[in-house]
Amino acid sequence: MLFPLVRPLIHSIDAERSHRLTVATLKRLPALPPPRPDPALAIRVAGLTFPNPVGLAAGFDKDAEVPAAMLGFGFGFVEVGTLTPRPQPGNPRPRLFRLGEDQAVINRMGFNNGGQPAALARLRGRRSGIVGVNIGANKDSADRVADYALGVTTMLAVADYLTVNISSPNTPGLRALQDPAALTALLDVVMEARGAGPPLFLKVAPDLEPADIDAIARLAIDRHVDALIVSNTTIGRPGLASRHAGEAGGLSGAPLRPLALQRLADFRAATGGALPLIAAGGIASAEHAYASIRTGASLVQLYTALVYEGPGLAKRIVAGLKDLIARDGFTSIEQAVGA
Ligand SMILES: Cc1cc2nc3c(=O)[nH]c(=O)nc-3n(C[C@H](O)[C@H](O)[C@H](O)COP(=O)(O)O)c2cc1C
């Protein structure tokens, strides 16, 4: 419960700087051992057994520098990335904004990362826990589909699962890969590249029309995608109060939650439970995580709430989920999915 005391200090520093300081500090400290898993909260998705359903969303540990530290904070899994084939600087700063009054963040980082080869080397020595690798295309790539194929073949040896991220609003034109014809071509290529490799997840935007949702759901099932992550940040600006509300980029955190939860329900309806779903968007409490699970998510992920709630959040959500399933008479979290 120390975090509320240091939060004003941390939040007095520029958002990107304080994030960099956080990662640098975590790198220097020894990682805590992951907490002892509770069998009632374990869940099997895409052939993997997750010790609990609460994951760290992509974007916090873009370069795979601190996955063990984050697992030590109680996350059931950590998604590193987005990683592109070649290193790239991302957009000019400032590009990350806290919206305190809204418990939100706007970012237009633009896939700043050190590239896949460096992350690959870092992940090679890794021991335990579930670490997914989120891949994307370089901004200046002449062939984006080829970038995804290369990302899959480069990273599959160190990934417990791979996420194909076609939903960042900060790489111009990237989200066009969600259009049915483009998505068909992309999925054919990445599934071929994956071969007998790890499960492959697809991460979608919340800013989709009903027709897109049906088409994406059908294609994902048809091409044997292993799970959908719903969702990335939104380009919408639903009723914000903060002075940074007008910044360009993707909005995450509390104001995203109603939209992300609606999209989760839409994808659950469109897939009829045929495809595991992973919820992301504004999840900040056990109640939020549980609502997503009851709506049909097998797993949840979060990032923005960490900025406001601090590193103890994952453990608090996991403990709260245990109480919530007991309250509703379930003996395992698996029974609550879509119930
Ligand atoms: C600063 C920041 C950077 C992000 N970078 C990525 C990224 O590189 N790749 C990605 O798939 N999602 C990225 N995201 C999106 C998150 O993974 C997540 O889908 C979204 O923020 C909604 O969850 P939240 O409201 O819990 O943050 C980023 C989010 C934030 C706030």
Side-chain angles (χ1 to χ4, degrees), residues 210-233:
D212 304 329
I213 293 168
D214 283 332
I216 292 170
R218 241 177 300 118
L219 268 172
I221 294 170
D222 193 59
R223 294 301 195 275
H224 304 289
V225 167
D226 294 282
L228 286 178
I229 303 180
V230 185
S231 70
N232 214 309
T233 57

Side-chain angles (χ1 to χ4, degrees), residues 57-60 62 79 81-82 96 105 107 109 111 134 165 167-168 203 231-233 251-254 256 280-283 301-305:
F60 179 88
K62 284 186 189 264
E79 187 167 314
T82 294
L96 178 61
V105 161
N107 94 82
M109 305 298 285
F111 290 169
N134 178 308
N165 174 21
S167 48
S168 167
K203 184 166 178 179
S231 70
N232 214 309
T233 57
L251 173 73
S252 57
L256 169 61
I283 293 171
Q301 294 181 321
L302 62 87
Y303 176 175
T304 301

